[in-house]
Amino acid sequence: MNDSGTERECNHSCSDSLEVGFVTETFPPEVNGVARTLARIIAEMVERGHRIHIVRPHQGATDTQRYVKVDKTIRVWGIPIPGYSGLKAGWPALVTLYTHWRRSRPDVLYVATEGPLGWAAVVVARYLKIPVISGFHTNFHSYSDHYRIGMLKGIIQRYLARFHNRTAVTLAPTRALCEELTGLGFGNVDVLGRGIDLRLYSPGQRSDSLRRSWGLEADDLAVLYVGRLAAEKNIQLAIDAFDAMKVREPRLRFVFVGDGPIADVLAHGRDDFVMAGVHTGQSLARHYASADIFLFPSETETFGNVVLEAMASGLALVAYDYAAVGEVGEHGVNGLFPPLSDTEEFIEMSVSLVEKREKIGMLRHNARESVMDRDWKSVFDRFERQLFRFKGDSGGNLRLDDQRVTSAAE
């Protein structure tokens, strides 16, 4: 299923630009960290004059809006993902990819997801001698414990390592994650961090009318969670912390921004919960800034873009000390960061915010200040250097099991 976009001329000398193929099994209008990060990177690469092709699953009858103007979009059939309504894995379209890339060969590929479509892209790229960079965006091996398939965790880890070892380099968002992946057998890992739009995510987006719609008065506090409403996000811990906080602050409200398989369960029978649904852009920024405390109990993040967004919005943050927090967090200064998986500390630190409300103001101010240097430009520059680094490196990808993979392509 192919859908060609409008051709775009280079903004500057084409000798300085690249033909880059992006392969992903999620993209806007889907709302998740991977989709949003990719859309941001692709938009910047287009702005810099690179010629961009996207390969992704078709998202259904409403899949018509173009969030980023690129040279071409190749849509393949989607495969429903159990437990992830609204998201689809991409069909392993070997023939489609081979036909397209042989006719319009990219200088380098960026494969963002490890599903059937990502696997097919790596196989075809090896056969056509196209260099491949991969991204590690999602801890799928960690998700297995939350979907009652923990016995498959080792198999998933080995698959991910084999997948990424067949690419020239794997880009992960933090140095700590790079070290973890190396320990799991990933051969060539490098850091590609994340940025934040400081103009969009700002305390200046705070809305009194939005707060009133949540049932709050001027001195009341709003607790916020932003993200997928799913088991792997450990949301029950945030609810437990909120309930403990309510003992001290009865008028507290918990605002959930997002959607997912447990949304209906969360909404049932709780008049102190505000189910705000999915928001993007300025509307999302208003929701951040209109809250006071951000609880983020997830233990499975590769980075956690929402941490930067909450801090830029000036919220008092409670989150585990890893991923994004490990990059920007300073416990007691710009947030409260219990050790990973320490549920008692998470709850106690959350409660401490309503016991000493003056702490909230201090953390909110420092959170904003601590991310003022986390702009996207440095991220884009680093990514672009990786693209040029591997341009024309036909032997740089698929270092392991080359003969077996080449046979599969044939």
Side-chain angles (χ1 to χ4, degrees):
M1 179 179 298
N2 295 350
D3 184 356
S4 298
T6 303
E7 298 297 323
R8 178 191 46 75
E9 295 182 357
C10 294
N11 293 335
H12 54 74
S13 171
C14 287
S15 62
D16 296 328
S17 65
L18 297 171
E19 189 98 11
V20 185
F22 283 79
V23 181
T24 177
E25 276 147 300
T26 182
F27 200 71
E30 294 167 345
V31 180
N32 57 68
V34 179
R36 291 167 61 193
T37 297
L38 284 177
R40 192 71 187 257
I41 291 174
I42 289 171
E44 178 65 18
M45 293 303 107
V46 170
E47 183 67 23
R48 295 185 180 203
H50 300 298
R51 302 177 303 283
I52 305 299
H53 297 181
I54 300 176
V55 182
R56 62 172 178 81
H58 191 269
Q59 296 167 323
T62 60
D63 189 2
T64 57
Q65 185 172 353
R66 299 187 186 278
Y67 283 74
V68 181
K69 185 178 180 181
V70 298
D71 289 84
K72 185 171 292 187
T73 297
I74 308 300
R75 292 174 173 85
V76 303
W77 293 111
I79 307 169
I81 302 175
Y84 268 71
S85 59
L87 295 180
K88 295 181 179 180
W91 183 258
L94 290 162
V95 174
T96 297
L97 298 179
Y98 175 82
T99 301
H100 173 65
W101 289 336
R102 186 165 186 179
R103 183 173 62 243
S104 181
R105 176 190 175 88
D107 294 308
V108 62
L109 293 176
Y110 180 73
V111 178
T113 53
E114 304 95 340
L117 178 60
W119 170 84
V122 171
V123 168
V124 174
R126 173 60 186 177
Y127 187 69
L128 295 175
K129 295 182 170 58
I130 301 169
V132 180
I133 297 169
S134 60
F136 193 88
H137 291 269
T138 306
N139 280 323
F140 284 117
H141 58 292
S142 298
Y143 285 13
S144 59
D145 293 333
H146 297 278
Y147 287 92
R148 300 180 182 179
I149 53 171
M151 73 290 294
L152 299 179
K153 185 174 184 177
I155 295 173
I156 295 170
Q157 286 179 344
R158 289 191 292 273
Y159 167 76
L160 292 174
R162 287 169 61 83
F163 178 97
H164 286 280
N165 284 341
R166 294 169 178 174
T167 69
V169 64
T170 298
L171 302 180
T174 69
R175 176 60 57 190
L177 181 57
C178 287
E179 294 173 357
E180 178 186 341
L181 294 177
T182 299
L184 292 174
F186 287 60
N188 188 15
V189 189
D190 202 355
V191 176
L192 182 70
R194 300 292 184 266
I196 182 69
D197 186 340
L198 293 165
R199 290 176 297 179
L200 177 62
Y201 296 103
S202 164
Q205 298 277 4
R206 193 171 180 88
S207 169
D208 291 337
S209 62
L210 181 58
R211 287 175 56 83
R212 286 193 295 271
S213 75
W214 296 342
L216 297 174
E217 297 180 359
D219 293 332
D220 294 337
L221 295 175
V223 174
L224 180 70
Y225 168 87
V226 176
R228 182 167 169 78
L229 304 180
E232 73 272 10
K233 296 299 184 178
N234 199 26
I235 293 174
Q236 185 58 50
L237 175 57
I239 294 172
D240 292 343
F242 172 79
D243 287 340
M245 295 163 75
K246 274 204 75 176
V247 174
R248 280 79 170 178
E249 194 74 35
R251 288 189 54 80
L252 212 59
R253 292 287 185 274
F254 201 159
V255 181
F256 294 89
V257 175
D259 198 5
I262 67 172
D264 291 341
V265 176
L266 291 176
H268 184 69
R270 292 291 301 249
D271 57 8
D272 51 356
F273 285 6
V274 178
M275 308 305 297
V278 175
H279 292 268
T280 60
Q282 188 169 12
S283 178
L284 175 59
R286 289 174 65 241
H287 279 73
Y288 272 116
S290 299
D292 303 286
I293 299 167
F294 190 78
L295 298 184
F296 193 62
S298 176
E299 300 179 9
T300 59
E301 302 303 304
T302 56
F303 187 77
N305 293 8
V306 295
V307 167
L308 290 188
E309 293 166 358
M311 295 178 78
S313 302
L315 298 187
L317 171 68
V318 182
Y320 282 129
D321 188 5
Y322 81 113
V325 171
E327 296 286 299
V328 300
E330 186 176 354
H331 176 66
V333 176
N334 59 4
L336 301 180
F337 309 121
L340 185 62
S341 300
D342 192 332
T343 59
E344 291 186 5
E345 277 293 294
F346 189 99
I347 293 173
E348 287 180 12
M349 289 181 185
S350 301
V351 171
S352 74
L353 291 177
V354 293
E355 289 180 331
K356 298 180 179 179
R357 289 183 58 155
E358 66 275 10
K359 185 186 298 185
I360 296 174
M362 180 270 290
L363 295 177
R364 293 183 65 175
H365 172 78
N366 291 344
R368 170 73 178 180
E369 291 299 312
S370 66
V371 297
M372 291 301 289
D373 62 344
R374 303 289 298 195
D375 67 310
W376 274 106
K377 183 180 183 301
S378 60
V379 178
F380 298 144
D381 289 346
R382 188 174 182 88
F383 183 75
E384 188 176 47
R385 286 195 296 271
Q386 292 282 6
L387 296 178
F388 277 107
R389 175 187 174 195
F390 291 104
K391 176 186 178 183
D393 180 17
S394 62
N397 49 295
L398 290 148
R399 295 184 304 279
L400 303 181
D401 300 322
D402 285 354
Q403 184 62 48
R404 190 154 53 239
V405 174
T406 302
S407 299
E410 294 172 331

